[in-house]
PDB file of all heavy atoms in Angstrom:
ATOM      1  N   ILE Z   1       9.636 -21.443  11.191  1.00  0.00           N
ATOM      2  CA  ILE Z   1      10.663 -22.484  11.080  1.00  0.00           C
ATOM      3  C   ILE Z   1      11.596 -22.492  12.286  1.00  0.00           C
ATOM      4  O   ILE Z   1      11.939 -23.559  12.825  1.00  0.00           O
ATOM      5  CB  ILE Z   1      11.479 -22.294   9.778  1.00  0.00           C
ATOM      6  CG1 ILE Z   1      10.601 -22.589   8.554  1.00  0.00           C
ATOM      7  CG2 ILE Z   1      12.712 -23.204   9.764  1.00  0.00           C
ATOM      8  CD1 ILE Z   1      11.276 -22.295   7.233  1.00  0.00           C
ATOM      9  N   ILE Z   2      11.998 -21.305  12.758  1.00  0.00           N
ATOM     10  CA  ILE Z   2      12.961 -21.259  13.868  1.00  0.00           C
ATOM     11  C   ILE Z   2      12.285 -21.321  15.241  1.00  0.00           C
ATOM     12  O   ILE Z   2      12.953 -21.258  16.273  1.00  0.00           O
ATOM     13  CB  ILE Z   2      13.865 -20.009  13.787  1.00  0.00           C
ATOM     14  CG1 ILE Z   2      13.035 -18.714  13.944  1.00  0.00           C
ATOM     15  CG2 ILE Z   2      14.651 -19.993  12.493  1.00  0.00           C
ATOM     16  CD1 ILE Z   2      13.888 -17.442  13.935  1.00  0.00           C
ATOM     17  N   GLY Z   3      10.947 -21.434  15.243  1.00  0.00           N
ATOM     18  CA  GLY Z   3      10.238 -21.687  16.493  1.00  0.00           C
ATOM     19  C   GLY Z   3       9.745 -20.480  17.257  1.00  0.00           C
ATOM     20  O   GLY Z   3       9.385 -20.598  18.434  1.00  0.00           O
ATOM     21  N   LEU Z   4       9.714 -19.306  16.616  1.00  0.00           N
ATOM     22  CA  LEU Z   4       9.165 -18.127  17.305  1.00  0.00           C
ATOM     23  C   LEU Z   4       7.652 -18.236  17.469  1.00  0.00           C
ATOM     24  O   LEU Z   4       7.064 -17.609  18.359  1.00  0.00           O
ATOM     25  CB  LEU Z   4       9.519 -16.853  16.533  1.00  0.00           C
ATOM     26  CG  LEU Z   4      10.972 -16.386  16.637  1.00  0.00           C
ATOM     27  CD1 LEU Z   4      11.235 -15.214  15.709  1.00  0.00           C
ATOM     28  CD2 LEU Z   4      11.325 -16.028  18.073  1.00  0.00           C
ATOM     29  N   THR Z   5       7.019 -19.002  16.602  1.00  0.00           N
ATOM     30  CA  THR Z   5       5.594 -19.316  16.738  1.00  0.00           C
ATOM     31  C   THR Z   5       5.376 -20.657  16.057  1.00  0.00           C
ATOM     32  O   THR Z   5       6.318 -21.286  15.568  1.00  0.00           O
ATOM     33  CB  THR Z   5       4.707 -18.219  16.134  1.00  0.00           C
ATOM     34  OG1 THR Z   5       3.329 -18.490  16.445  1.00  0.00           O
ATOM     35  CG2 THR Z   5       4.869 -18.116  14.629  1.00  0.00           C
ATOM     36  N   SER Z   6       4.118 -21.095  16.007  1.00  0.00           N
ATOM     37  CA  SER Z   6       3.818 -22.407  15.407  1.00  0.00           C
ATOM     38  C   SER Z   6       2.752 -22.257  14.334  1.00  0.00           C
ATOM     39  O   SER Z   6       1.976 -21.288  14.342  1.00  0.00           O
ATOM     40  CB  SER Z   6       3.308 -23.367  16.484  1.00  0.00           C
ATOM     41  OG  SER Z   6       2.049 -22.920  16.984  1.00  0.00           O
ATOM     42  N   PRO Z   7       2.669 -23.200  13.398  1.00  0.00           N
ATOM     43  CA  PRO Z   7       1.607 -23.144  12.380  1.00  0.00           C
ATOM     44  C   PRO Z   7       0.208 -23.153  13.004  1.00  0.00           C
ATOM     45  O   PRO Z   7      -0.706 -22.513  12.484  1.00  0.00           O
ATOM     46  CB  PRO Z   7       1.842 -24.416  11.552  1.00  0.00           C
ATOM     47  CG  PRO Z   7       3.280 -24.743  11.744  1.00  0.00           C
ATOM     48  CD  PRO Z   7       3.598 -24.323  13.156  1.00  0.00           C
ATOM     49  N   GLU Z   8       0.061 -23.856  14.117  1.00  0.00           N
ATOM     50  CA  GLU Z   8      -1.240 -23.921  14.779  1.00  0.00           C
ATOM     51  C   GLU Z   8      -1.676 -22.546  15.299  1.00  0.00           C
ATOM     52  O   GLU Z   8      -2.839 -22.171  15.193  1.00  0.00           O
ATOM     53  CB  GLU Z   8      -1.203 -24.924  15.940  1.00  0.00           C
ATOM     54  CG  GLU Z   8      -1.037 -26.379  15.533  1.00  0.00           C
ATOM     55  CD  GLU Z   8       0.376 -26.726  15.111  1.00  0.00           C
ATOM     56  OE1 GLU Z   8       1.322 -25.951  15.437  1.00  0.00           O
ATOM     57  OE2 GLU Z   8       0.550 -27.759  14.434  1.00  0.00           O
ATOM     58  N   THR Z   9      -0.712 -21.801  15.869  1.00  0.00           N
ATOM     59  CA  THR Z   9      -1.037 -20.466  16.382  1.00  0.00           C
ATOM     60  C   THR Z   9      -1.384 -19.518  15.249  1.00  0.00           C
ATOM     61  O   THR Z   9      -2.325 -18.718  15.369  1.00  0.00           O
ATOM     62  CB  THR Z   9       0.147 -19.890  17.183  1.00  0.00           C
ATOM     63  OG1 THR Z   9       0.556 -20.823  18.166  1.00  0.00           O
ATOM     64  CG2 THR Z   9      -0.244 -18.587  17.858  1.00  0.00           C
ATOM     65  N   VAL Z  10      -0.658 -19.603  14.147  1.00  0.00           N
ATOM     66  CA  VAL Z  10      -0.958 -18.765  12.979  1.00  0.00           C
ATOM     67  C   VAL Z  10      -2.365 -19.074  12.472  1.00  0.00           C
ATOM     68  O   VAL Z  10      -3.149 -18.163  12.178  1.00  0.00           O
ATOM     69  CB  VAL Z  10       0.085 -18.992  11.865  1.00  0.00           C
ATOM     70  CG1 VAL Z  10      -0.311 -18.223  10.602  1.00  0.00           C
ATOM     71  CG2 VAL Z  10       1.467 -18.567  12.332  1.00  0.00           C
ATOM     72  N   TYR Z  11      -2.678 -20.360  12.386  1.00  0.00           N
ATOM     73  CA  TYR Z  11      -4.012 -20.763  11.925  1.00  0.00           C
ATOM     74  C   TYR Z  11      -5.088 -20.254  12.876  1.00  0.00           C
ATOM     75  O   TYR Z  11      -6.137 -19.751  12.447  1.00  0.00           O
ATOM     76  CB  TYR Z  11      -4.091 -22.285  11.808  1.00  0.00           C
ATOM     77  CG  TYR Z  11      -5.473 -22.784  11.447  1.00  0.00           C
ATOM     78  CD1 TYR Z  11      -5.970 -22.658  10.153  1.00  0.00           C
ATOM     79  CD2 TYR Z  11      -6.289 -23.375  12.407  1.00  0.00           C
ATOM     80  CE1 TYR Z  11      -7.236 -23.104   9.826  1.00  0.00           C
ATOM     81  CE2 TYR Z  11      -7.559 -23.826  12.092  1.00  0.00           C
ATOM     82  CZ  TYR Z  11      -8.032 -23.697  10.803  1.00  0.00           C
ATOM     83  OH  TYR Z  11      -9.294 -24.130  10.486  1.00  0.00           O
ATOM     84  N   HIS Z  12      -4.814 -20.352  14.181  1.00  0.00           N
ATOM     85  CA  HIS Z  12      -5.779 -19.876  15.178  1.00  0.00           C
ATOM     86  C   HIS Z  12      -6.026 -18.374  15.025  1.00  0.00           C
ATOM     87  O   HIS Z  12      -7.172 -17.914  15.096  1.00  0.00           O
ATOM     88  CB  HIS Z  12      -5.262 -20.174  16.587  1.00  0.00           C
ATOM     89  CG  HIS Z  12      -6.099 -19.567  17.673  1.00  0.00           C
ATOM     90  ND1 HIS Z  12      -7.350 -20.033  18.015  1.00  0.00           N
ATOM     91  CD2 HIS Z  12      -5.866 -18.491  18.482  1.00  0.00           C
ATOM     92  CE1 HIS Z  12      -7.851 -19.288  18.983  1.00  0.00           C
ATOM     93  NE2 HIS Z  12      -6.976 -18.356  19.284  1.00  0.00           N
ATOM     94  N   GLU Z  13      -4.966 -17.598  14.800  1.00  0.00           N
ATOM     95  CA  GLU Z  13      -5.109 -16.150  14.619  1.00  0.00           C
ATOM     96  C   GLU Z  13      -5.940 -15.833  13.370  1.00  0.00           C
ATOM     97  O   GLU Z  13      -6.788 -14.945  13.386  1.00  0.00           O
ATOM     98  CB  GLU Z  13      -3.731 -15.491  14.512  1.00  0.00           C
ATOM     99  CG  GLU Z  13      -2.953 -15.440  15.806  1.00  0.00           C
ATOM    100  CD  GLU Z  13      -3.592 -14.538  16.846  1.00  0.00           C
ATOM    101  OE1 GLU Z  13      -4.270 -13.568  16.468  1.00  0.00           O
ATOM    102  OE2 GLU Z  13      -3.409 -14.810  18.043  1.00  0.00           O
ATOM    103  N   ALA Z  14      -5.666 -16.564  12.269  1.00  0.00           N
ATOM    104  CA  ALA Z  14      -6.418 -16.344  11.036  1.00  0.00           C
ATOM    105  C   ALA Z  14      -7.879 -16.735  11.217  1.00  0.00           C
ATOM    106  O   ALA Z  14      -8.791 -16.030  10.762  1.00  0.00           O
ATOM    107  CB  ALA Z  14      -5.789 -17.124   9.889  1.00  0.00           C
ATOM    108  N   LEU Z  15      -8.106 -17.857  11.896  1.00  0.00           N
ATOM    109  CA  LEU Z  15      -9.481 -18.328  12.110  1.00  0.00           C
ATOM    110  C   LEU Z  15     -10.261 -17.362  12.988  1.00  0.00           C
ATOM    111  O   LEU Z  15     -11.446 -17.074  12.738  1.00  0.00           O
ATOM    112  CB  LEU Z  15      -9.441 -19.718  12.752  1.00  0.00           C
ATOM    113  CG  LEU Z  15     -10.791 -20.435  12.901  1.00  0.00           C
ATOM    114  CD1 LEU Z  15     -11.408 -20.681  11.522  1.00  0.00           C
ATOM    115  CD2 LEU Z  15     -10.613 -21.753  13.648  1.00  0.00           C
ATOM    116  N   LYS Z  16      -9.588 -16.818  13.995  1.00  0.00           N
ATOM    117  CA  LYS Z  16     -10.235 -15.863  14.912  1.00  0.00           C
ATOM    118  C   LYS Z  16     -10.678 -14.608  14.170  1.00  0.00           C
ATOM    119  O   LYS Z  16     -11.675 -13.979  14.528  1.00  0.00           O
ATOM    120  CB  LYS Z  16      -9.253 -15.502  16.040  1.00  0.00           C
ATOM    121  CG  LYS Z  16      -9.841 -14.624  17.120  1.00  0.00           C
ATOM    122  CD  LYS Z  16      -8.869 -14.433  18.264  1.00  0.00           C
ATOM    123  CE  LYS Z  16      -7.700 -13.573  17.873  1.00  0.00           C
ATOM    124  NZ  LYS Z  16      -6.830 -13.207  19.021  1.00  0.00           N
ATOM    125  N   ASN Z  17      -9.941 -14.262  13.122  1.00  0.00           N
ATOM    126  CA  ASN Z  17     -10.251 -13.053  12.356  1.00  0.00           C
ATOM    127  C   ASN Z  17     -10.840 -13.381  10.979  1.00  0.00           C
ATOM    128  O   ASN Z  17     -10.692 -12.615  10.031  1.00  0.00           O
ATOM    129  CB  ASN Z  17      -8.976 -12.222  12.189  1.00  0.00           C
ATOM    130  CG  ASN Z  17      -8.466 -11.695  13.511  1.00  0.00           C
ATOM    131  OD1 ASN Z  17      -9.074 -10.823  14.124  1.00  0.00           O
ATOM    132  ND2 ASN Z  17      -7.338 -12.226  13.967  1.00  0.00           N
ATOM    133  N   PHE Z  18     -11.529 -14.503  10.918  1.00  0.00           N
ATOM    134  CA  PHE Z  18     -12.077 -14.957   9.631  1.00  0.00           C
ATOM    135  C   PHE Z  18     -13.071 -13.962   9.047  1.00  0.00           C
ATOM    136  O   PHE Z  18     -13.158 -13.787   7.825  1.00  0.00           O
ATOM    137  CB  PHE Z  18     -12.751 -16.323   9.817  1.00  0.00           C
ATOM    138  CG  PHE Z  18     -13.277 -16.911   8.541  1.00  0.00           C
ATOM    139  CD1 PHE Z  18     -12.412 -17.229   7.499  1.00  0.00           C
ATOM    140  CD2 PHE Z  18     -14.632 -17.156   8.374  1.00  0.00           C
ATOM    141  CE1 PHE Z  18     -12.890 -17.774   6.317  1.00  0.00           C
ATOM    142  CE2 PHE Z  18     -15.114 -17.690   7.199  1.00  0.00           C
ATOM    143  CZ  PHE Z  18     -14.248 -18.008   6.163  1.00  0.00           C
ATOM    144  N   GLU Z  19     -13.806 -13.265   9.915  1.00  0.00           N
ATOM    145  CA  GLU Z  19     -14.786 -12.296   9.417  1.00  0.00           C
ATOM    146  C   GLU Z  19     -14.100 -11.157   8.660  1.00  0.00           C
ATOM    147  O   GLU Z  19     -14.622 -10.646   7.664  1.00  0.00           O
ATOM    148  CB  GLU Z  19     -15.617 -11.724  10.574  1.00  0.00           C
ATOM    149  CG  GLU Z  19     -16.795 -10.889  10.100  1.00  0.00           C
ATOM    150  CD  GLU Z  19     -17.707 -10.440  11.223  1.00  0.00           C
ATOM    151  OE1 GLU Z  19     -17.387 -10.722  12.401  1.00  0.00           O
ATOM    152  OE2 GLU Z  19     -18.736  -9.808  10.934  1.00  0.00           O
ATOM    153  N   VAL Z  20     -12.898 -10.771   9.117  1.00  0.00           N
ATOM    154  CA  VAL Z  20     -12.148  -9.721   8.426  1.00  0.00           C
ATOM    155  C   VAL Z  20     -11.671 -10.222   7.061  1.00  0.00           C
ATOM    156  O   VAL Z  20     -11.703  -9.494   6.068  1.00  0.00           O
ATOM    157  CB  VAL Z  20     -10.944  -9.271   9.270  1.00  0.00           C
ATOM    158  CG1 VAL Z  20     -10.212  -8.120   8.599  1.00  0.00           C
ATOM    159  CG2 VAL Z  20     -11.387  -8.875  10.674  1.00  0.00           C
ATOM    160  N   ILE Z  21     -11.258 -11.487   7.016  1.00  0.00           N
ATOM    161  CA  ILE Z  21     -10.830 -12.072   5.750  1.00  0.00           C
ATOM    162  C   ILE Z  21     -11.994 -12.121   4.766  1.00  0.00           C
ATOM    163  O   ILE Z  21     -11.852 -11.799   3.581  1.00  0.00           O
ATOM    164  CB  ILE Z  21     -10.237 -13.485   5.991  1.00  0.00           C
ATOM    165  CG1 ILE Z  21      -8.957 -13.364   6.824  1.00  0.00           C
ATOM    166  CG2 ILE Z  21      -9.961 -14.200   4.678  1.00  0.00           C
ATOM    167  CD1 ILE Z  21      -8.369 -14.693   7.272  1.00  0.00           C
ATOM    168  N   LEU Z  22     -13.168 -12.498   5.251  1.00  0.00           N
ATOM    169  CA  LEU Z  22     -14.363 -12.501   4.396  1.00  0.00           C
ATOM    170  C   LEU Z  22     -14.684 -11.099   3.892  1.00  0.00           C
ATOM    171  O   LEU Z  22     -15.090 -10.917   2.738  1.00  0.00           O
ATOM    172  CB  LEU Z  22     -15.572 -13.049   5.162  1.00  0.00           C
ATOM    173  CG  LEU Z  22     -15.716 -14.566   5.269  1.00  0.00           C
ATOM    174  CD1 LEU Z  22     -17.019 -14.907   5.988  1.00  0.00           C
ATOM    175  CD2 LEU Z  22     -15.699 -15.225   3.906  1.00  0.00           C
ATOM    176  N   LEU Z  23     -14.505 -10.106   4.777  1.00  0.00           N
ATOM    177  CA  LEU Z  23     -14.740  -8.714   4.370  1.00  0.00           C
ATOM    178  C   LEU Z  23     -13.857  -8.361   3.165  1.00  0.00           C
ATOM    179  O   LEU Z  23     -14.343  -7.824   2.168  1.00  0.00           O
ATOM    180  CB  LEU Z  23     -14.422  -7.776   5.540  1.00  0.00           C
ATOM    181  CG  LEU Z  23     -14.226  -6.291   5.186  1.00  0.00           C
ATOM    182  CD1 LEU Z  23     -15.557  -5.647   4.848  1.00  0.00           C
ATOM    183  CD2 LEU Z  23     -13.547  -5.541   6.313  1.00  0.00           C
ATOM    184  N   LEU Z  24     -12.583  -8.668   3.268  1.00  0.00           N
ATOM    185  CA  LEU Z  24     -11.660  -8.295   2.198  1.00  0.00           C
ATOM    186  C   LEU Z  24     -11.967  -9.045   0.905  1.00  0.00           C
ATOM    187  O   LEU Z  24     -11.898  -8.483  -0.187  1.00  0.00           O
ATOM    188  CB  LEU Z  24     -10.226  -8.571   2.633  1.00  0.00           C
ATOM    189  CG  LEU Z  24      -9.665  -7.611   3.682  1.00  0.00           C
ATOM    190  CD1 LEU Z  24      -8.308  -8.092   4.167  1.00  0.00           C
ATOM    191  CD2 LEU Z  24      -9.545  -6.206   3.121  1.00  0.00           C
ATOM    192  N   ILE Z  25     -12.303 -10.309   1.022  1.00  0.00           N
ATOM    193  CA  ILE Z  25     -12.543 -11.100  -0.189  1.00  0.00           C
ATOM    194  C   ILE Z  25     -13.838 -10.682  -0.880  1.00  0.00           C
ATOM    195  O   ILE Z  25     -13.852 -10.385  -2.082  1.00  0.00           O
ATOM    196  CB  ILE Z  25     -12.590 -12.602   0.152  1.00  0.00           C
ATOM    197  CG1 ILE Z  25     -11.224 -13.077   0.662  1.00  0.00           C
ATOM    198  CG2 ILE Z  25     -13.005 -13.421  -1.069  1.00  0.00           C
ATOM    199  CD1 ILE Z  25     -11.220 -14.509   1.160  1.00  0.00           C
ATOM    200  N   PHE Z  26     -14.926 -10.642  -0.145  1.00  0.00           N
ATOM    201  CA  PHE Z  26     -16.237 -10.471  -0.774  1.00  0.00           C
ATOM    202  C   PHE Z  26     -16.709  -9.019  -0.866  1.00  0.00           C
ATOM    203  O   PHE Z  26     -17.321  -8.624  -1.858  1.00  0.00           O
ATOM    204  CB  PHE Z  26     -17.294 -11.307  -0.043  1.00  0.00           C
ATOM    205  CG  PHE Z  26     -17.113 -12.782  -0.222  1.00  0.00           C
ATOM    206  CD1 PHE Z  26     -17.118 -13.638   0.860  1.00  0.00           C
ATOM    207  CD2 PHE Z  26     -16.911 -13.324  -1.479  1.00  0.00           C
ATOM    208  CE1 PHE Z  26     -16.947 -15.005   0.705  1.00  0.00           C
ATOM    209  CE2 PHE Z  26     -16.736 -14.690  -1.661  1.00  0.00           C
ATOM    210  CZ  PHE Z  26     -16.751 -15.528  -0.563  1.00  0.00           C
ATOM    211  N   MET Z  27     -16.427  -8.212   0.180  1.00  0.00           N
ATOM    212  CA  MET Z  27     -16.906  -6.828   0.124  1.00  0.00           C
ATOM    213  C   MET Z  27     -16.160  -6.034  -0.940  1.00  0.00           C
ATOM    214  O   MET Z  27     -16.764  -5.295  -1.730  1.00  0.00           O
ATOM    215  CB  MET Z  27     -16.763  -6.157   1.490  1.00  0.00           C
ATOM    216  CG  MET Z  27     -17.372  -4.759   1.544  1.00  0.00           C
ATOM    217  SD  MET Z  27     -19.167  -4.759   1.242  1.00  0.00           S
ATOM    218  CE  MET Z  27     -19.762  -5.266   2.852  1.00  0.00           C
ATOM    219  N   VAL Z  28     -14.849  -6.170  -0.987  1.00  0.00           N
ATOM    220  CA  VAL Z  28     -14.062  -5.446  -1.989  1.00  0.00           C
ATOM    221  C   VAL Z  28     -14.477  -5.884  -3.392  1.00  0.00           C
ATOM    222  O   VAL Z  28     -14.645  -5.063  -4.297  1.00  0.00           O
ATOM    223  CB  VAL Z  28     -12.554  -5.685  -1.773  1.00  0.00           C
ATOM    224  CG1 VAL Z  28     -11.742  -5.038  -2.890  1.00  0.00           C
ATOM    225  CG2 VAL Z  28     -12.126  -5.119  -0.421  1.00  0.00           C
ATOM    226  N   ALA Z  29     -14.657  -7.191  -3.576  1.00  0.00           N
ATOM    227  CA  ALA Z  29     -15.082  -7.695  -4.882  1.00  0.00           C
ATOM    228  C   ALA Z  29     -16.492  -7.201  -5.223  1.00  0.00           C
ATOM    229  O   ALA Z  29     -16.786  -6.877  -6.381  1.00  0.00           O
ATOM    230  CB  ALA Z  29     -15.045  -9.220  -4.895  1.00  0.00           C
ATOM    231  N   GLY Z  30     -17.367  -7.151  -4.219  1.00  0.00           N
ATOM    232  CA  GLY Z  30     -18.723  -6.678  -4.464  1.00  0.00           C
ATOM    233  C   GLY Z  30     -18.763  -5.239  -4.927  1.00  0.00           C
ATOM    234  O   GLY Z  30     -19.487  -4.881  -5.864  1.00  0.00           O
ATOM    235  N   ILE Z  31     -17.947  -4.395  -4.302  1.00  0.00           N
ATOM    236  CA  ILE Z  31     -17.921  -2.982  -4.674  1.00  0.00           C
ATOM    237  C   ILE Z  31     -17.329  -2.795  -6.065  1.00  0.00           C
ATOM    238  O   ILE Z  31     -17.651  -1.833  -6.763  1.00  0.00           O
ATOM    239  CB  ILE Z  31     -17.124  -2.173  -3.620  1.00  0.00           C
ATOM    240  CG1 ILE Z  31     -17.690  -2.399  -2.228  1.00  0.00           C
ATOM    241  CG2 ILE Z  31     -17.142  -0.686  -3.951  1.00  0.00           C
ATOM    242  CD1 ILE Z  31     -19.187  -2.233  -2.115  1.00  0.00           C
TER     243      ILE Z  31
END
């Protein structure tokens, strides 16, 4: 909100690490 970063940059960081997000969602649930 105060401009230290932007929603686009946050989205880019999350998208870049999407494989890690998939790991947490599916691997943990699988185990």
Side-chain angles (χ1 to χ4, degrees):
I1 292 174
I2 64 177
L4 286 174
T5 187
S6 66
E8 293 76 18
T9 308
V10 174
Y11 175 75
H12 173 72
E13 288 294 331
L15 187 62
K16 185 174 70 172
N17 295 290
F18 183 63
E19 189 174 4
V20 184
I21 295 173
L22 279 183
L23 163 73
L24 287 173
I25 295 174
F26 291 130
M27 186 62 80
V28 175
I31 305 310

